[in-house]
Amino acid sequence: MEMKELLDEYGSMTFSDDVMRERVPKSTYKAFHEALDKGEQLPKEVATVIANAMKIWAVEHGATHFTHWFTPMTGLTAEKHDAFLEPDHKGGALLEFSGKTLRKGEPDASSFPSGGLRATFEARGYTAWDVTSPAFVKDGTLYIPTLFCSYTGEALDKKTPLLRSCDALSSSSVKLLHKLGMEDVSKVYANVGAEQEYFLVADEYYQKRIDLRLTGRTLYGAMAPKGQELEDHYFGSIKRKVGAFMKDLDRELWKYGIPSKTKHNEVAPAQHEVACVFMKANITADNNHLLMQIAQDIAKKHGLRCLLHEKPFDGVNGSGKHNNWSVTTDTGVNLFNPGTDPIHNLPFLTALACTIKGIDEYADLLRMSAASAGNDHRLGANEAPPAIISIFLGEELDDLVDTIINGTALSDNTKERFQTGVAVVPDFSKDTTDRNRTSPFAFTGNKFEFRAVGSAMSVAGPNTVLNTILAEEFDQFSDLLDEGMEPYDIIKKFLSEHKRIIFNGDGYSKDWEEEAARRGLPNAKNTVDAAECLKAEKNIELYEKHGVYSKVELSSRYEIMLENYSKTIQVEALTALKMAKNEIYPAVSKYIGSLAEDAKDLAALDVPNDFMKADLKELTSLATDMRGQMATLDEKIEKAREGDAGDPKVAAYWRDEVLGAMADLRATADTLETKVDEKDWPMPNYVDLMFGI
C-alpha cells in the first residue's frame, strides 16, 4: 500500500469530527461543540442537520441501513438494523433519517439481562446517541454508538456507567486542580490504550471441536509434547498466514480510525497480540468491541478462527487485555507523568497518592471488574497477575514514596547509560525502573497498566471503577484542603496509611499470598466471591455519591454477574457431557473392542498377548471411571439447573460441584487420549490446534 493511500484510508469509514466540520454549516458545528464542551443536551435542530449530513455521507459509503449500536450487560454488542428507505405516497421511496431517529432508538429491553430492573412484560427501553463517539459504516450499515437505558431510566448497559464515571472524574479533578493552582483546566479526561491478546486456529480443526464452537475453549485435550517451554513463540517470526491476517486486520482497523500500533506473537503457541494507541476511555471501549468483531470476521476470510476466550487451552498461557489508563487535562497535562522533578511535581504526587489510596480502599471493586467465568481460569496462572490486587511502582517511585513518608533523602536517580559491550553499538539512557509482569496494577512510566482484564471482556467495566475511585479520592483531597491541611501533608497521610497496597516483588510466589493476608488485602479467587463486593455498603455509597450507579443498578449487576457465570458453566458442562457421551466414550469403546479382537487373534495363533491384556485392563478401567464420571456430572448438572441462575448459592454449586465434576471427567478423558491410537481419536488434538497453521 502506498503512503498516500494508507493515510487517505485512515478513518475513511468513520463520521469523524473532521468529516462533520466539512459537511455541516459552521453554525451547526459550533453549536455541536458548545453543547459537548458544556455537557449540555444537543438542540433538536442541530441533531436534525447532523443526521441529514450523516445519512448522505453513509449512503455515499455504501450504507443502506442504520443501527443504534450498544453494549448490553451480556458483555457483547447489540444492534437492530433499519433501512433508510421509506415508501412515499407515489409508490416510490425516500431516504429518511431524522434528528430524532439519530438521537433516540427504542429496542426491546425485555430480552436483555436486567437483573430484575425490568420484568419480561415491561419491554420498553431506549438507546441514546453517544455524541462523543463517532459513527461509522460497516458492512453496508451506519453504526451509531449509543447508551442503553430502561423506560424508568436505569442503565442497562456498560457504556452509561462509564460515561457517568468520566463525568464524575472530570468534575472532581477540575475542582481539585483549581485549588492546586491549575485554574486554566476546565475538563479532565480518562485515556485508555488497550492491548488485545487472542489465539488463531485453523478453521478446519475449529469446526470439528464442538467445545470451541459453543464455549470458546477446549473442554478436553491432552497436552502437546511441546507447549511454550522453549519460549520460542514470543516475539518470534510471524507465520505467513498469520501475517496476512494481521495485515488485513490492521488495514481494516485503520479504516475505522482505530489506532492499531503494535502486533506480535505472544508467549503461547498460536497466541498473538494487537495493541492500540491511547484514546478517550469510552471511545477505546467502543473501538475494542469493534476490533474483536473485525478480528473474528477477518480470521474467517483467511481460513482461521480468532479465539478471544481467556483460557482456550489448558497448560499454556491464556489471554488478557491490558488496560493502560492515564488521566489528562484539556490543557495537555498528564497527571501521571512524573516529569524530571517528581518530588516537586504537585499534580503528579497528588494523583499518585490518590490512586494508591483508591486502589487500597476499593481493591475489591477493581478485582470484581476483571471477574468472569473465563478469566477465573487465567488469573493467578503463569501469564496473568494473581487475584490479589496490589500496585507496582518500581524503584524510583518506591524511593519517592519512602522519602515522602519518612522524610529521608531522595536517592540519586540520574538515568544511567545502558551499555551493550559492543563497540559499534551506541549506549543509550536506561529507564529508572524495571517492569513487573506479575503485578495486576503497575505504574509504567506515565500511566497505570491494569493487567487482570480478560481478553473477551469489555474495558468499560474496569475503567468505570478506576474513574470513580479516583474521583472519590480527589474529593477527599479537596475536603482536607478546605479544612486547612497543606497539600504535601495530605499526600504524606494518604501514602502512609495505604502503603500496604504497594508490592514490587513476585506476585506469583506463595510467600506473597501469605504476606498479602497479613496485610489484610482481599483475595477473591473466583467470580462468585468477587461479586460479593457489589453488596458492600461502602461501595454502594461510593457509586451513588458520584452518580455512576444507583443501589438498584448495583443490585442488578450482582445478579447478572452470577447469572452469566452460572449459565456459562452450564453451557460448558452440557457441552462436556455431550462430547463425552457422543464422541469420546464411543471412540474409546470402539478402540477397546478393536484391541480385544487383535488380542483374540494373537491368542488363536498361540502368540503371547499379555501386553495387550495389560493395555485392555488399563483402558477398560479408565473407561469404567469415565462412565461413572459422566453419570456424576449429569446428576450435578440437573441439580444445579433446579435453582435460579442468579442465586449466589446456585452459582457456588456450579463453581464447587459442577466444575469439579467436569475436571474429574476431563482428567480421565485426557489420559485416555494419550493411550488411544491418534487416528481413532474423534477430534483434533492440541498439536493440530496450536501448531496447525
Side-chain angles (χ1 to χ4, degrees):
M1 186 190 301
E2 294 182 1
M3 184 178 296
K4 185 179 185 305
E5 183 183 358
L6 180 66
L7 295 175
D8 288 345
E9 279 198 358
Y10 188 84
S12 61
M13 302 304 287
T14 302
F15 192 78
S16 64
D17 191 69
D18 287 342
V19 173
M20 184 188 296
R21 184 170 56 241
E22 291 174 0
R23 288 177 174 260
V24 302
K26 289 182 179 179
S27 58
T28 301
Y29 180 79
K30 182 181 179 182
F32 173 81
H33 275 281
E34 283 179 352
L36 207 61
D37 293 341
K38 294 176 182 177
E40 298 174 348
Q41 290 187 7
L42 196 67
K44 292 180 180 178
E45 58 274 15
V46 173
T48 298
V49 175
I50 294 174
N52 187 59
M54 193 180 289
K55 174 194 67 181
I56 295 171
W57 172 85
V59 172
E60 289 173 1
H61 285 76
T64 58
H65 289 68
F66 66 90
T67 182
H68 276 199
W69 187 58
F70 57 100
T71 53
M73 290 182 286
T74 57
L76 305 172
T77 57
E79 54 197 65
K80 174 172 70 81
H81 296 213
D82 288 299
F84 286 121
L85 285 175
E86 291 282 353
D88 63 17
H89 66 283
K90 299 178 181 179
L94 301 171
L95 293 179
E96 291 288 345
F97 186 59
S98 67
K100 180 181 178 181
T101 304
L102 170 62
R103 292 168 64 235
K104 187 189 79 171
E106 188 184 333
D108 185 340
S110 64
S111 298
F112 293 103
S114 71
L117 288 176
R118 303 290 288 156
T120 301
F121 67 89
E122 297 173 316
R124 195 180 296 277
Y126 293 114
T127 52
W129 177 31
D130 175 10
V131 297
T132 65
S133 186
F136 56 91
V137 170
K138 179 178 180 288
D139 299 330
T141 298
L142 172 66
Y143 281 73
I144 305 158
T146 59
L147 292 67
F148 179 44
C149 298
S150 73
Y151 181 72
T152 47
E154 294 91 359
L156 294 176
D157 64 344
K158 292 180 176 293
K159 171 174 274 196
T160 302
L162 175 61
L163 288 172
R164 291 171 180 172
S165 76
C166 290
D167 288 345
L169 176 61
S170 182
S171 175
S172 297
S173 300
V174 170
K175 180 177 67 174
L176 174 57
L177 292 175
H178 284 184
K179 293 177 182 180
L180 296 178
M182 299 176 66
E183 296 180 359
D184 56 340
V185 174
S186 58
K187 207 154 192 176
V188 172
Y189 304 98
N191 292 318
V192 175
E195 304 170 32
Q196 178 72 54
E197 295 175 344
Y198 59 92
F199 280 82
L200 290 176
V201 299
D203 183 63
E204 62 177 305
Y205 298 135
Y206 172 91
Q207 296 296 345
K208 296 175 182 177
R209 297 278 315 211
I210 188 176
D211 47 1
L212 285 179
R213 288 159 55 200
L214 296 185
T215 74
R217 75 181 182 101
T218 53
L219 302 176
Y220 298 99
M223 276 295 296
K226 180 185 183 301
Q228 62 191 54
E229 297 86 356
L230 296 177
E231 298 177 333
D232 53 338
H233 192 259
Y234 189 57
F235 278 24
S237 176
I238 298 173
K239 294 178 180 178
R240 183 174 297 178
K241 194 164 188 176
V242 174
F245 159 82
M246 288 179 167
K247 181 179 179 180
D248 283 357
L249 176 61
D250 273 342
R251 183 166 183 170
E252 198 69 13
L253 292 176
W254 293 337
K255 288 180 183 178
Y256 294 100
I258 299 175
S260 168
K261 182 71 174 177
T262 304
K263 57 186 179 184
H264 61 84
N265 290 346
E266 257 299 335
V267 175
Q271 188 185 34
H272 314 280
E273 180 181 297
V274 55
C276 297
V277 176
F278 280 72
M279 300 188 80
K280 291 176 184 176
N282 68 302
I283 296 177
T284 291
D286 283 348
N287 283 350
N288 187 252
H289 277 294
L290 185 54
L291 182 154
M292 289 190 286
Q293 290 181 9
I294 291 173
Q296 292 177 95
D297 290 343
I298 290 179
K300 294 175 188 176
K301 295 178 181 179
H302 287 264
L304 304 171
R305 287 287 175 155
C306 177
L307 306 181
L308 296 173
H309 193 284
E310 286 79 11
K311 198 73 172 178
F313 301 107
D314 193 32
V316 297
N317 283 11
S319 296
K321 191 182 327 241
H322 299 177
N323 186 90
N324 296 282
W325 175 68
S326 66
V327 178
T328 58
T329 69
D330 58 352
T331 58
V333 177
N334 179 353
L335 298 182
F336 290 145
N337 187 352
T340 56
D341 188 19
I343 193 69
H344 297 112
N345 186 341
L346 182 56
F348 166 72
L349 291 179
T350 300
L352 177 67
C354 287
T355 300
I356 290 170
K357 181 174 183 288
I359 299 300
D360 185 25
E361 291 181 335
Y362 298 102
D364 54 349
L365 281 177
L366 195 57
R367 165 66 184 94
M368 176 278 305
S369 74
S372 71
N375 216 19
D376 281 359
H377 296 288
R378 169 181 168 266
L379 288 181
N382 288 338
E383 79 283 3
I388 305 165
I389 298 296
S390 65
I391 296 177
F392 169 80
L393 293 180
E395 294 176 10
E396 182 179 21
L397 288 190
D398 212 36
D399 181 36
L400 181 67
V401 169
D402 285 341
T403 295
I404 294 171
I405 293 174
N406 303 318
T408 56
L410 191 64
S411 299
D412 182 9
N413 281 315
T414 302
K415 286 192 175 181
E416 299 177 25
R417 303 297 292 176
F418 189 89
Q419 298 179 342
T420 64
V422 180
V424 296
V425 177
D427 61 352
F428 51 87
S429 61
K430 181 179 177 181
D431 290 322
T432 52
T433 185
D434 203 348
R435 299 183 67 188
N436 188 335
R437 288 178 57 83
T438 71
S439 175
F441 197 76
F443 184 77
T444 54
N446 59 0
K447 63 187 184 300
F448 281 97
E449 181 183 25
F450 184 38
R451 301 183 67 249
V453 186
S455 53
M457 302 177 73
S458 170
V459 298
N463 289 295
T464 299
V465 174
L466 290 170
N467 294 344
T468 307
I469 63 179
L470 189 57
E472 171 61 20
E473 303 308 340
F474 278 176
D475 279 356
Q476 292 191 26
F477 200 105
S478 289
D479 292 343
L480 291 174
L481 285 175
D482 292 342
E483 293 173 12
M485 281 189 73
E486 292 296 322
Y488 281 94
D489 290 336
I490 302 172
I491 291 167
K492 180 177 180 179
K493 172 182 170 64
F494 283 9
L495 294 177
S496 300
E497 293 176 355
H498 298 281
K499 188 182 178 183
R500 68 172 185 168
I501 198 70
I502 300 171
F503 177 66
N504 292 329
D506 182 2
Y508 295 158
S509 71
K510 193 70 177 174
D511 291 344
W512 166 233
E513 189 171 340
E514 296 169 357
E515 171 63 22
R518 285 193 292 271
R519 294 188 188 188
L521 301 180
N523 185 10
K525 295 186 176 182
N526 56 75
T527 297
V528 179
D529 292 343
E532 284 292 312
C533 71
L534 292 173
K535 299 191 296 183
E537 198 60 38
K538 73 176 181 70
N539 296 333
I540 295 172
E541 291 175 359
L542 168 77
Y543 281 127
E544 287 194 317
K545 172 188 172 183
H546 294 280
V548 175
Y549 290 110
S550 67
K551 184 174 183 177
V552 172
E553 287 172 331
L554 278 180
S555 178
S556 75
R557 266 64 182 177
Y558 175 69
E559 184 176 326
I560 288 169
M561 276 193 75
L562 296 183
E563 184 178 302
N564 286 343
Y565 178 86
S566 297
K567 289 181 177 179
T568 298
I569 305 303
Q570 175 179 309
V571 171
E572 291 185 350
L574 288 170
T575 304
L577 190 60
K578 176 178 175 59
M579 292 175 72
K581 284 183 174 180
N582 298 347
E583 295 184 63
I584 300 174
Y585 186 77
V588 170
S589 298
K590 184 177 180 180
Y591 183 73
I592 289 173
S594 176
L595 194 61
E597 284 297 319
D598 290 344
K600 183 179 177 182
D601 290 344
L602 287 179
L605 296 172
D606 201 23
V607 175
N609 63 355
D610 290 346
F611 66 97
M612 281 191 170
K613 290 180 180 179
D615 288 343
L616 282 168
K617 185 176 181 180
E618 183 179 18
L619 286 168
T620 52
S621 176
L622 287 167
T624 301
D625 290 344
M626 186 177 177
R627 198 170 190 281
Q629 290 161 346
M630 289 189 294
T632 299
L633 177 57
D634 200 355
E635 178 185 323
K636 291 184 181 295
I637 291 172
E638 290 308 309
K639 183 175 180 180
R641 295 177 76 181
E642 292 173 0
D644 182 354
D647 186 324
K649 292 182 180 178
V650 173
Y653 187 87
W654 284 106
R655 175 196 66 194
D656 298 335
E657 298 295 329
V658 178
L659 276 179
M662 287 173 62
D664 290 342
L665 178 56
R666 174 172 186 160
T668 302
D670 288 356
T671 300
L672 281 164
E673 182 185 339
T674 66
K675 300 180 183 301
V676 171
D677 194 322
E678 187 172 308
K679 68 178 179 6
D680 294 314
W681 196 248
M683 65 194 70
N685 58 33
Y686 270 26
V687 174
D688 296 326
L689 291 168
M690 291 194 290
F691 300 94
I693 298 177

